[in-house]
Amino acid sequence: RYQIFSVNYDSPKTKQLEQLEQNKNIQILGSCNGLLAVEEQNGRIFLWNPSTRKCQVLPSPKIVFSPPPAFYSCSTYSGFGYDPVSDDYKLVLIVQLLGTYEEYLRSEAKVYSLRSNSWRRIKDYFCFYFISERQLGVVANNVLHLLAYKIPESSKRSSVDLDVFAYKNPESSYKHLVGFDLRSEELSLVELPDFCLDGEANVDVKALGGYLCLTATHMDMFVSGDLWIMKEYGVKESWVKLISTTQLDFLPGSPFVVPLAFSKNGNKVLFHKKSCKGDMDRNGLVWYDVGSERVEKVGIEGLPLAYDVYLYVESLVPLND
């Protein structure tokens, strides 16, 4: 049974939202201005406004590769956000096929427009290959961000219609941060702090209070975790380290400690703290005081044992029923 709850910042109690289909596995692909992009286990995608109880099923994106290699893995990358230029909500879907020995890579990307209620195929050739089997993009400054490796220049084909190419090793071992601008629908690199260039830190990207946020775990003589924010979007020098800690049960760069939001006064950061098995204990949300470096558990009544967390703002953004 899959249930959706809401928790208000100012109240420690939960409220169960109206259930769409309790017996189906769902994944939230993104949250923007009160709209949730949701995917069911069978691949059906819909937009949902819990405030108005309106729901809109999207047409199928129909991504087909022909012919794929005999043995391959398929990876999906997605993100949902708002384009203020066209006053439109967009869902981005990128699918990559990777051959068993990494000698084959093919990509296809599509963008769904709420205004037209249709998918459009966009530029197929990417000079990046993305990292995980499934990755949800992070939206900040109307740009969708994904972590990726860069494909060597020598591996690129001259044709942009067919991005099938051979490569043996990535250009470098460190990750790049790729931004897909929801307004221009173009890809570009977003510069990371210099410490990311050595490839030693385990980094992840999030959005925090409207800022692009980077978490990192360092495995030196002592294990440490950092949280960085980009104060001025697109300016490398504006990366600021907000948190640095060696508390082993609280490392912001680990996959088990996820930043969510600032407190109203900006002095604390709310984190989603997971157990090492991927499940949550009943006090899985914690406040971290940036000044005193104290960690305070948030007691919330009525939460299940395991859950994921997404930020949501109530709104009246309309959908076709």
Side-chain angles (χ1 to χ4, degrees):
R1 294 170 64 87
Y2 296 89
Q3 301 170 315
I4 300 178
F5 298 84
S6 68
V7 180
N8 192 287
Y9 262 75
D10 301 317
S11 171
K13 295 183 179 180
T14 61
K15 177 179 68 175
Q16 188 166 337
L17 298 179
E18 181 183 3
Q19 317 244 311
L20 297 175
E21 301 251 4
Q22 284 188 186
N23 58 346
K24 290 188 177 180
N25 188 2
I26 63 170
Q27 177 160 23
I28 296 178
L29 304 179
S31 171
C32 181
N33 296 344
L35 296 182
L36 300 179
V38 183
E39 182 180 20
E40 294 180 334
Q41 194 170 12
N42 60 9
R44 188 179 78 150
I45 303 174
F46 57 90
L47 300 181
W48 177 39
N49 187 331
S51 299
T52 63
R53 300 185 180 181
K54 298 293 184 181
C55 175
Q56 180 167 331
V57 178
L58 276 58
S60 171
K62 295 180 181 177
I63 294 180
V64 179
F65 294 97
S66 179
F71 301 98
Y72 64 92
S73 62
C74 180
S75 302
T76 305
Y77 315 93
S78 55
F80 178 61
Y82 177 67
D83 172 8
V85 175
S86 60
D87 186 27
D88 197 5
Y89 290 87
K90 295 180 177 180
L91 178 65
V92 181
L93 188 62
I94 302 172
V95 178
Q96 287 191 332
L97 257 60
L98 181 65
T100 306
Y101 301 104
E102 300 186 343
E103 78 286 357
Y104 174 102
L105 178 67
R106 190 163 183 179
S107 307
E108 184 172 322
K110 288 192 171 183
V111 173
Y112 169 82
S113 160
L114 176 60
R115 183 173 287 277
S116 66
N117 190 32
S118 63
W119 293 90
R120 286 182 296 104
R121 186 171 177 173
I122 58 173
K123 182 179 179 180
D124 289 343
Y125 181 82
F126 296 100
C127 56
F128 307 96
Y129 69 95
F130 299 104
I131 289 170
S132 57
E133 188 174 309
R134 174 123 195 169
Q135 189 178 163
L136 298 180
V138 174
V139 177
N141 201 57
N142 306 117
V143 178
L144 175 69
H145 300 88
L146 295 160
L147 287 169
Y149 288 112
K150 196 171 183 181
I151 295 166
E153 291 288 336
S154 59
S155 297
K156 298 177 186 176
R157 291 169 61 100
S158 57
S159 168
V160 295
D161 339 339
L162 190 65
D163 58 333
V164 181
F165 40 80
Y167 65 95
K168 296 299 179 185
N169 297 295
E171 186 175 86
S172 57
S173 60
Y174 64 87
K175 298 174 182 178
H176 293 266
L177 183 57
V178 181
F180 177 85
D181 196 311
L182 294 170
R183 297 155 293 191
S184 64
E185 298 185 357
E186 292 290 334
L187 282 172
S188 63
L189 278 176
V190 179
E191 290 190 279
L192 294 170
D194 286 337
F195 77 84
C196 297
L197 300 179
D198 60 18
E200 296 298 323
N202 177 36
V203 300
D204 197 9
V205 61
K206 300 293 178 185
L208 188 64
Y211 294 108
L212 190 61
C213 166
L214 182 76
T215 58
T217 303
H218 306 271
M219 303 291 183
D220 300 321
M221 291 182 62
F222 302 97
V223 181
S224 62
D226 301 334
L227 185 146
W228 297 67
I229 60 172
M230 185 178 250
K231 298 287 286 184
E232 185 178 350
Y233 185 80
V235 179
K236 178 182 177 180
E237 293 73 22
S238 71
W239 281 108
V240 175
K241 187 191 293 186
L242 191 66
I243 295 173
S244 184
T245 177
T246 56
Q247 299 182 48
L248 291 181
D249 62 340
F250 182 81
L251 293 174
S254 78
F256 309 115
V257 182
V258 182
L260 296 174
F262 285 110
S263 61
K264 290 182 178 179
N265 60 15
N267 296 332
K268 298 179 181 180
V269 179
L270 183 67
F271 284 89
H272 184 200
K273 188 171 177 292
K274 304 180 181 181
S275 72
C276 294
K277 293 182 179 180
D279 291 335
M280 310 298 297
D281 59 32
R282 292 188 184 276
N283 292 312
L285 297 177
V286 298
W287 284 110
Y288 180 91
D289 190 302
V290 177
S292 67
E293 301 184 359
R294 292 181 56 188
V295 177
E296 175 189 355
K297 290 185 178 181
V298 180
I300 300 176
E301 300 175 9
L303 280 182
L305 182 63
Y307 54 87
D308 287 318
V309 181
Y310 303 86
L311 294 186
Y312 164 76
V313 178
E314 292 182 333
S315 79
L316 298 176
V317 175
L319 289 171
N320 297 322
D321 210 2

